[in-house]
Amino acid sequence: KVKLSNLLINYLQKRHLLFLLAVRNDISTRIWHRNNEIFSIEQAESWFNINHHKWKIILVNNEPVGYIRLHDKKGKSIYIGCDIHILYRRKGYAESAYKIIISKLRKIGYKILFLEVKKDNIAAINLYDKLGFKEIERKDGWIKMEYRIKNEK
C-alpha cells in the first residue's frame, strides 16, 4: 500500500510533458485508449497550452509516476482517467490517486465522475469496482462507469 503522505497530486507543468509522453506513447498504455496514436512533443505542447489546467501529475516522493486526466466538465459532473508509468503499476498509486482526486472534486462541488474503460481491461475494471464506480453502459467494446460522490459527514 502507498502511504498517502508520500503521494501528491499537482497541476501538470510543461516540464512534465516528456514524462507524460513516455507514459501515453508506451504501447502498454496506448492499447487502452480510444485514440491509440503516438503523440509528438509538438502535439503535446500545443495541447498543454490549452488544457494543462485540466490534467494533474501524480508524484511519489516528488517523482512522477503517472497522471490524471480531467475533461468534459458538464455542470457538477466530470470525466476522469488515470495512466501510470509501466514501472510503477500494481503498487497502489492509481487507487491512492483516485481517492485523493475524488476527495478534492467533492470539496469543489462535483457530484458525478464518469470514465470509460475497454471491456477487456480487467485490472482497471477491478480497480474501478473497488473504488465504487458502477457500470452504466456497454457499447462497442467499451464500458462507461460512474461514481456518485457522497457528501462528507
Short mmCIF file of all heavy atoms in Angstrom, two decimals, residues 25 46 90 101-102 121 151:
data_model
loop_
_atom_site.label_atom_id
_atom_site.label_comp_id
_atom_site.label_asym_id
_atom_site.label_seq_id
_atom_site.Cartn_x
_atom_site.Cartn_y
_atom_site.Cartn_z
N ASN A 25 2.60 7.29 -24.76
CA ASN A 25 3.00 6.66 -26.02
C ASN A 25 3.46 5.22 -25.87
O ASN A 25 3.64 4.53 -26.86
CB ASN A 25 4.11 7.49 -26.69
CG ASN A 25 3.56 8.76 -27.31
OD1 ASN A 25 2.37 8.88 -27.59
ND2 ASN A 25 4.42 9.73 -27.50
N SER A 46 1.24 21.84 -27.84
CA SER A 46 0.05 22.54 -28.31
C SER A 46 -1.13 22.23 -27.39
O SER A 46 -1.87 23.14 -26.97
CB SER A 46 -0.26 22.11 -29.74
OG SER A 46 -1.48 22.67 -30.16
N ARG A 90 0.70 -1.47 -10.41
CA ARG A 90 0.40 -2.52 -9.43
C ARG A 90 1.07 -2.27 -8.08
O ARG A 90 1.44 -3.18 -7.37
CB ARG A 90 0.74 -3.90 -9.99
CG ARG A 90 0.08 -4.12 -11.37
CD ARG A 90 -0.24 -5.51 -11.75
NE ARG A 90 -1.03 -6.29 -10.84
CZ ARG A 90 -2.37 -6.25 -10.72
NH1 ARG A 90 -3.07 -5.41 -11.43
NH2 ARG A 90 -2.98 -7.05 -9.89
N ILE A 101 -8.09 12.50 -5.58
CA ILE A 101 -8.76 13.40 -6.53
C ILE A 101 -10.27 13.40 -6.29
O ILE A 101 -10.92 14.43 -6.43
CB ILE A 101 -8.38 13.08 -8.00
CG1 ILE A 101 -8.62 14.30 -8.89
CG2 ILE A 101 -9.12 11.88 -8.54
CD1 ILE A 101 -7.68 15.42 -8.70
N ILE A 102 -10.84 12.25 -5.91
CA ILE A 102 -12.27 12.22 -5.59
C ILE A 102 -12.55 13.14 -4.42
O ILE A 102 -13.52 13.91 -4.43
CB ILE A 102 -12.74 10.77 -5.32
CG1 ILE A 102 -12.78 9.99 -6.64
CG2 ILE A 102 -14.11 10.76 -4.63
CD1 ILE A 102 -12.97 8.48 -6.47
N ASN A 121 -10.04 -4.68 -20.16
CA ASN A 121 -9.04 -4.13 -19.24
C ASN A 121 -9.46 -4.51 -17.81
O ASN A 121 -9.92 -3.68 -17.03
CB ASN A 121 -8.93 -2.61 -19.41
CG ASN A 121 -7.75 -2.03 -18.66
OD1 ASN A 121 -7.16 -2.68 -17.81
ND2 ASN A 121 -7.42 -0.79 -18.99
N ASN A 151 -21.59 13.21 -0.02
CA ASN A 151 -21.15 14.32 0.84
C ASN A 151 -20.45 13.76 2.06
O ASN A 151 -20.83 12.72 2.59
CB ASN A 151 -22.34 15.17 1.28
CG ASN A 151 -22.94 15.94 0.13
OD1 ASN A 151 -22.22 16.33 -0.80
ND2 ASN A 151 -24.24 16.15 0.15
#
